[in-house]
Amino acid sequence: MKSFDHAEIEPKWQKKWEEDGLYSVQEDTSKDKCYVLDMFPYPSGAGLHVGHPKGYIATDVYSRYKTMRGYNVLHPMGWDAFGLPAENYALKNKVHPEQSVTENIARFKEQLHKIGFNYDWSREINTTDPSYYKWTQWIFVKLFEKGLAYESHEPINWCPSCLTGLANEDLDGNACERCGSTVEKKPIRQWVLKITDYADRMLEDLEDLPWENSVKEAQRNWIGRSEGAELEFRVKNQELGIKVFTTRPDTLFGATYVVLAPEHSLVAQLLENQESRITNQDEVRQYIADTQARTEIERTAEGKDKTGVRLEGVTAINPANQEELPVFIADYVLANYGTGAIMAVPAHDERDYAFATKFNLPICEVIAGGDVDKEAYVGGGELVNSGEFSGMSVDEASLAITKHAGGELVVRYRLQDWVFSRQRYWGEPIPIIHCEKCGPVAVPESDLPVTLPDVESYEPTGTGESPLANIDEWVNTTCPKCGGPAKRETNTMPQWAGSSWYYLRYIDPCNDTELVAKDKEAYWSPVDVYVGGMEHAARHLIYARFWHKFLYDLGTVSEKEPFQKLYTVGLIMAEDGRKMSKRWGNVINPDDMVERMGADALRVYEMFMGPFGQSIAWSTDHMVGARRFLERVYGVQEKVAEDGETNELLLHQSVQKVGHDIESFDFNTAISQLMILVNDMEKRTSVAQREYEVLIQILAPFAPHLSEELWEQLGHTSSVHREPWPTYDESVLAAAQVTIAVQVNGKTRGTFSAAPTSDEATLVAEARKIGSVAAHLDGKDVKREVVVPGRLVNFVVG
Ligand code: ANZ
Ligand code: ZN
């Protein structure tokens, strides 16, 4: 069999495509547009491993397919290069971050080039480029002008190793996501963005987004909206009140004690100002100290043994019935949620139940329906033991009891305002000038960007100030408002700033008078398909949606939401099943693989390895299989003849299925179909040129180099990537369809039609898409899939 030399073919075509500007794109109102976007990478020092390109290959296949379908496709790439990872790398390797970023970008770019992507590099962006971050700063100025960026001195998360404040989104539990150190709470001056003002809109608009449910759920949880009430319990014989937040004001008559978070300011007040009243001060102080050593995760872990200390001598009064209740501090109540204090209703809350049982506190049933001698009853029902409110339903009573107790209905979010300043060097300077007379003043638009100055030492200072604070000639300036002496803000923006709006800049990357021109924005927005890692569900995707909505309010963008479809890419694990990491020495470098077997083989393999969203271990053997498949495509060439044999039905089926599967990101089953087609061609003594050409066309998105080569050898002078996607004849297909029954545990839950040749993976994937089947599989563990080709799929669930 004839073989092909990828080392010759691939660079040849990459060069030609670049020379011809094959992938550069302009607005063209005569065509429908399709904007396909990858989450852009941090150009880290380690370079790409084979896991990175998986998402990029998918968008490349998809965007090539869309181009063939006649769309005007935007598929850009750029670099997210500010922030801690780049800076920490630079510090470790003792080079200036600007230099290491430049080197790393060059390396990444070269690696991407080798894989043959169709990016329009004329639109490349880099978040550390002043002409880019001018607009990041411009957005900040607008936020400031609208009162959505403010200064605060609240204690925030502080990483003692990275020496900077961090947002909640930068934590892994209670540890710094970058270095793993346990974070502390430290009061420092900081800039904060009022993301909570957009929380409700982010939740509402989530409903209509066609995203995967898991991502939507992660966002809902992160935003964590709770409707409830704030009620005040007076402290007996003192001029003090304890405000509690509860989602169940209807259970107020069942409150049998009150709990404060150990860090609650009232505890300190009670200890200091009213010393005589707490009689067990030592015990209380000891408990507070012990709590500080525990992380939030440890404190709130389900089933954890409940601990706490009673504040002896302090009594709270239930605002509903004036009953006197003991007051505790306990670590299961967190200081930074709600009001940092709760009314405990052991009969109807599991945590309170566990605590009350341990401390021998009364359990008073106020909602009928459970057996509170055995466990907390958290369901609904009719009120009992609740005075005049007995007999009401939970919903009715919530408002009535809140009113009766003088409380108010409130909405609380888990989401907190975004701590937006970092005491580090490698970020966008925050464009604010502090004037003694005028206070903080925004840098006028005409003076943007505020460029990051060169410093001798860019190491973090640890003092709560950024290294920029040491550069007097940069810091000292004049106030844009009054012309008096003033100082520049020296904090920089967090990692996430530049990535919160970058997709807009690709649309108009060189515009120096506007963030993005209105007509271009109107043409390309929104992003049609966005692909990236699940780890961004609650971070980048929340920040970007927030900024986008703000820009929408400003009139800068025309769409409420930035990203239409969203696909999350499954990780590629190492061959040993672990995460690929330098530490384990199991990293596979795509360059090596491309060198050995070619970019097309890498592309086909990564798309064939399994369902796109699933995490799967790398196998070099399987990549060899992908290479062999391409050899076979190449080999069939020898049988091609003008009037060679045909298999009309299979060809139509393949055109339909491959297109359909690319559209829905089922790349693995698209490739199975290509394999079926190639098998069939191999069995024939000759293959009609017309059919072989169709094979090359529908293979082109996956294996762009080999397809281009074969296309040329067939005598074509223009690129296969400019060909229209082949058409198929519905009537030919319809005549040959079979009906497949779909069962769950043997019960038929739906049917669909498919080609009789469909393979198992395809049938299973199609079967899962049927609504009534999906409903029966939801939340269940599928133990086995029984497939009878041409007839039936049965899911066996546990
Ligand atoms: C009384 C009650 C009775 C409650 C009942 C629940 C059930 P979500 O849904 O997460 O918002 N809570 C309030 N603040 C807290 C804090 N700082 N730390 C720990 N727990 C806190 O939860 C709200 C409920 O969690 C509140 O409603 C409160 O307990 C508790 F049958 O109040 B509940
Ligand atoms: Zn001033």
Side-chain angles (χ1 to χ4, degrees), residues 434-439 441 478-486:
H434 296 275
C435 167
E436 256 175 51
K437 267 203 289 184
C438 313
V441 178
T478 52
C479 169
K481 241 192 209 164
C482 71

Side-chain angles (χ1 to χ4, degrees), residues 39 210-212 215 529-532 541 563-568:
M39 290 187 187
W211 290 6
E212 289 162 41
V215 179
V529 174
Y530 194 23
V531 177
L541 285 173
F563 314 119
Q564 265 304 300
K565 279 213 171 128
L566 176 81
Y567 288 100
T568 52

Side-chain angles (χ1 to χ4, degrees), residues 17-49:
W17 294 332
E18 206 174 319
E19 283 166 7
D20 294 351
L22 193 68
Y23 304 126
S24 81
V25 55
Q26 294 304 324
E27 295 69 47
D28 177 355
T29 46
S30 72
K31 282 186 181 171
D32 282 339
K33 65 88 187 183
C34 183
Y35 185 176
V36 185
L37 182 69
D38 297 291
M39 290 187 187
F40 65 164
Y42 321 114
S44 75
L48 290 176
H49 69 55

Side-chain angles (χ1 to χ4, degrees), residues 226 245-248 251 332-334 337 340 342-343 345 348-349 351:
S226 279
F245 171 63
T246 174
T247 44
R248 294 292 304 277
T251 63
Y332 77 97
V333 175
L334 303 174
Y337 185 69
I342 66 157
M343 65 181 209
V345 184
H348 305 291
D349 180 276
R351 292 160 302 176

Side-chain angles (χ1 to χ4, degrees), residues 247-549:
T247 44
R248 294 292 304 277
D250 55 295
T251 63
L252 180 54
F253 284 84
T256 56
Y257 61 103
V258 168
V259 189
L260 297 167
E263 308 90 329
H264 197 295
S265 60
L266 205 62
V267 179
Q269 224 173 313
L270 286 162
L271 281 169
E272 280 158 24
N273 304 346
Q274 320 279 337
E275 285 210 322
S276 55
R277 309 203 195 245
I278 295 182
T279 51
N280 58 337
Q281 295 225 3
D282 291 349
E283 199 191 354
V284 170
R285 285 181 204 279
Q286 185 58 49
Y287 186 78
I288 296 173
D290 292 348
T291 304
Q292 268 158 7
R294 286 193 282 270
T295 68
E296 198 162 297
I297 306 253
E298 287 165 1
R299 287 172 61 164
T300 52
E302 222 175 295
K304 168 191 168 283
D305 184 34
K306 296 279 176 291
T307 63
V309 174
R310 179 163 177 183
L311 301 181
E312 304 283 356
V314 181
T315 305
I317 312 225
N318 186 331
N321 55 10
Q322 315 310 313
E323 204 176 305
E324 298 189 359
L325 306 178
V327 179
F328 286 79
I329 55 172
D331 67 359
Y332 77 97
V333 175
L334 303 174
N336 56 6
Y337 185 69
T339 60
I342 66 157
M343 65 181 209
V345 184
H348 305 291
D349 180 276
E350 278 158 12
R351 292 160 302 176
D352 299 342
Y353 193 93
F355 190 89
T357 316
K358 178 165 170 190
F359 288 84
N360 252 321
L361 293 157
I363 295 172
C364 167
E365 177 182 53
V366 288
I367 309 288
D371 179 359
V372 303
D373 290 337
K374 291 213 186 81
E375 60 183 2
Y377 172 63
V378 300
E382 202 169 87
L383 268 70
V384 292
N385 303 325
S386 297
E388 59 192 284
F389 304 94
S390 294
M392 280 188 182
S393 72
V394 164
D395 285 342
E396 225 182 325
S398 285
L399 181 61
I401 294 184
T402 301
K403 265 197 190 152
H404 167 76
E408 56 174 342
L409 297 180
V410 294
V411 176
R412 287 279 175 178
Y413 302 93
R414 199 182 94 92
L415 179 74
Q416 285 170 11
D417 279 343
W418 180 6
V419 175
F420 196 71
S421 41
R422 299 292 177 273
Q423 293 67 48
R424 297 285 297 236
Y425 172 67
W426 192 237
E428 303 86 346
I430 290 179
I432 291 287
I433 290 170
H434 296 275
C435 167
E436 256 175 51
K437 267 203 289 184
C438 313
V441 178
V443 173
E445 191 175 329
S446 55
D447 291 348
L448 296 179
V450 178
T451 48
L452 188 60
D454 247 334
V455 280
E456 243 152 70
S457 162
Y458 52 87
E459 315 243 342
T461 62
T463 59
E465 297 246 41
S466 115
L468 296 179
N470 295 328
I471 318 174
D472 288 341
E473 61 277 25
W474 185 79
V475 172
N476 293 317
T477 182
T478 52
C479 169
K481 241 192 209 164
C482 71
K487 287 186 186 309
R488 284 189 192 282
E489 170 64 57
T490 57
N491 283 329
T492 54
M493 298 188 197
Q495 164 90 65
W496 306 102
S499 60
S500 293
W501 70 280
Y502 73 110
Y503 55 93
L504 292 170
R505 194 61 179 172
Y506 287 130
I507 293 175
D508 196 7
C510 300
N511 194 334
D512 55 15
T513 59
E514 274 174 294
L515 186 151
V516 57
K518 288 229 158 20
D519 53 338
K520 295 185 178 179
E521 190 278 332
Y523 179 72
W524 288 114
S525 284
V527 170
D528 295 279
V529 174
Y530 194 23
V531 177
M534 181 68 195
E535 70 277 14
H536 292 299
R539 299 163 195 235
H540 159 60
L541 285 173
I542 288 216
Y543 293 146
R545 292 183 64 221
F546 162 42
W547 276 29
H548 192 88
K549 288 186 182 305

